[in-house]
Amino acid sequence: MSVPEQDPGKRPARRVRYAGTHPRKFHEKYKELARDRYAADVEKILKSGKTPAGTHRPIMVNEILQVLAPQAGERGIDCTLGYGGHAQKLLRAIQPDGCLLGIDADPIELPKTEARLRSAGFPAETLIVQRTNFAALPGLIPALLPGGADFLLADLGLSSMQIDDPARGFTFKVDAPLDMRMNPARGSSAAEFLAKIDQRGLAQLLVDAADELWAEPLASGLIAAQESSVIVTTGQLAEAVRKVLAKIGSFDEEDVTSTIRRVFQALRIAVNDEFSTLDILLKSIPQCVKPSGRIAILTFHSGEDRRVKKAFQAGLASGVYREISSEVIRATPQERHDNPRSIPAKLRWSIRSSS
């Protein structure tokens, strides 16, 4: 059989080049973004305690499995499918004959996650995928899981693949459009939100959504910066925060970075209306799970945890729940070492009453 000759004037495509000895920009990390092809390289990154670009490491998997105790044949709900790490473990635990409803609002990542889970052997009758916000969950139950679920998981953390992709505007490590929307096709971007909010509203947001000690001067400084030059990129916002802190006093780099992170967190929560959505979920959980159903919620900052704690306590007092966690469960020291993004995680659980 003859082999077609290669065009001598056409060179093969070259791999992505980057400055220095290690890739720093998201698109340059081609080995991390192709983990099936470069498995050994990805394994080295994982062992170093880092998360490969474009992926997500599920947090507190063993603790969640212990709390939810999924059994063969049961039906469950994963309210935040994300990268599918928790879902894959839950799906394996409920086979044979089990079914998991996985929902997520992210139109960019959800198709990738569904494809990964399908290729792992979970067909439509085992895994039902819906792109929606989990506030819409009660409307899905009658048709998709009539009678409710045996267990429900809500991981409220931002997925690493969202954080790491500069195009999404969640990170200040790379200068990019200030977006932060879970669904980029809906609502206002963080830049648009920042352009509309007033000083009082911004200060209150920084307190409510980030427990920010310097909320007042930060709000004043950011509004002033916005008036002189509209903030439209992540780099501009981070630099504006730095300038405000420089006027307040002397801060080390760790404190500055932590403050920038809190400002980004507060804006992200506002842009995606995360607190209102969580409140709706907490009220609707009893409609979504069966009597004696188990619920686990993983939070990543105090504003979320306070809401979950109060909702579970109120449910226990009213008889909706027969038991709730008395204390938060945290990641083990080993997991915090291996995956630093697990450090702020708090897990709370509840069990619905039997009637």
Side-chain angles (χ1 to χ4, degrees):
M1 182 176 66
S2 61
V3 179
E5 294 183 3
Q6 185 176 8
D7 184 353
K10 185 177 181 181
R11 294 183 177 181
R14 299 178 67 180
R15 71 183 187 196
V16 179
R17 295 289 182 176
Y18 47 82
T21 58
H22 294 83
R24 296 186 180 278
K25 296 181 180 179
F26 182 78
H27 70 277
E28 294 173 342
K29 300 181 179 182
Y30 61 91
K31 291 185 177 180
E32 298 177 45
L33 294 169
R35 59 185 305 165
D36 293 338
R37 185 176 178 186
Y38 299 98
D41 297 273
V42 171
E43 187 62 27
K44 289 180 182 178
I45 294 169
L46 290 169
K47 287 183 178 179
S48 69
K50 298 178 181 179
T51 301
T55 66
H56 181 77
R57 301 174 70 178
I59 291 172
M60 298 176 68
V61 173
N62 292 334
E63 291 84 351
I64 287 171
L65 290 175
Q66 183 175 1
V67 165
L68 293 180
Q71 304 296 317
E74 288 192 327
R75 301 186 301 175
I77 302 170
D78 187 339
C79 294
T80 45
L81 197 56
Y83 194 77
H86 290 122
Q88 190 165 42
K89 297 291 186 179
L90 292 169
L91 281 162
R92 296 201 186 285
I94 60 177
Q95 299 314 309
D97 302 324
C99 177
L100 184 73
L101 169 61
I103 64 175
D104 204 293
D106 191 328
I108 297 173
E109 296 298 333
L110 184 60
K112 302 176 188 176
T113 297
E114 181 176 4
R116 278 192 299 271
L117 292 172
R118 298 292 183 217
S119 65
F122 300 111
E125 62 270 19
T126 298
L127 171 65
I128 304 169
V129 175
Q130 294 284 305
R131 182 171 68 81
T132 185
N133 190 296
F134 56 64
L137 184 60
L140 301 176
I141 297 299
L144 301 180
L145 293 180
D150 296 289
F151 62 85
L152 178 148
L153 167 66
D155 174 357
L156 305 182
L158 192 66
S159 295
S160 297
M161 62 271 191
Q162 294 168 325
I163 299 171
D164 293 339
D165 186 353
R168 305 298 300 271
F170 289 111
T171 179
F172 52 88
K173 295 179 180 179
V174 179
D175 193 28
L178 186 61
D179 195 311
M180 298 193 191
R181 287 173 291 179
M182 297 294 183
N183 183 348
R186 297 185 62 184
S188 300
S189 68
E192 294 167 331
F193 177 85
L194 192 58
K196 295 176 183 177
I197 195 169
D198 60 21
Q199 181 176 327
R200 179 181 295 181
L202 182 56
Q204 191 61 53
L205 173 65
L206 292 173
V207 172
D208 294 342
D211 295 321
E212 178 54 56
L213 294 175
W214 303 102
E216 291 291 346
L218 279 168
S220 175
L222 290 176
I223 295 299
Q226 179 82 324
E227 291 173 351
S228 63
S229 178
V230 179
I231 297 172
V232 295
T233 72
T234 57
Q236 289 173 335
L237 177 56
E239 183 59 25
V241 174
R242 288 182 180 277
K243 289 181 178 178
V244 174
L245 293 179
K247 293 178 180 178
I248 296 174
S250 179
F251 296 88
D252 60 31
E253 183 57 29
E254 184 177 350
D255 288 336
V256 171
T257 299
S258 295
T259 303
I260 295 172
R261 187 175 289 113
R262 288 193 295 271
V263 170
F264 271 66
Q265 171 185 298
L267 285 176
R268 188 204 80 223
I269 289 171
V271 165
N272 295 289
D273 201 17
E274 293 179 26
F275 283 164
S276 295
T277 304
L278 175 58
D279 289 341
I280 293 171
L281 174 66
L282 292 170
K283 290 179 181 178
S284 63
I285 283 176
Q287 307 168 37
C288 300
V289 298
K290 298 177 180 179
S292 300
R294 294 89 65 194
I295 300 103
I297 301 183
L298 196 61
T299 66
F300 288 82
H301 57 81
S302 57
E304 291 174 341
D305 181 59
R306 281 194 295 267
R307 282 170 163 75
V308 175
K309 179 181 178 180
K310 290 180 179 179
F312 282 179
Q313 289 176 336
L316 181 66
S318 66
V320 171
Y321 298 122
R322 75 164 189 244
E323 190 177 356
I324 64 172
S325 50
S326 57
E327 300 290 341
V328 295
I329 302 170
R330 291 185 176 273
T332 64
Q334 184 63 52
E335 181 173 6
R336 293 198 297 270
H337 174 270
D338 293 342
N339 182 10
R341 289 178 179 175
S342 70
I343 292 173
K346 296 178 180 179
L347 176 64
R348 291 187 185 273
W349 56 266
S350 64
I351 301 176
R352 247 205 76 179
S353 296
S354 55
S355 59

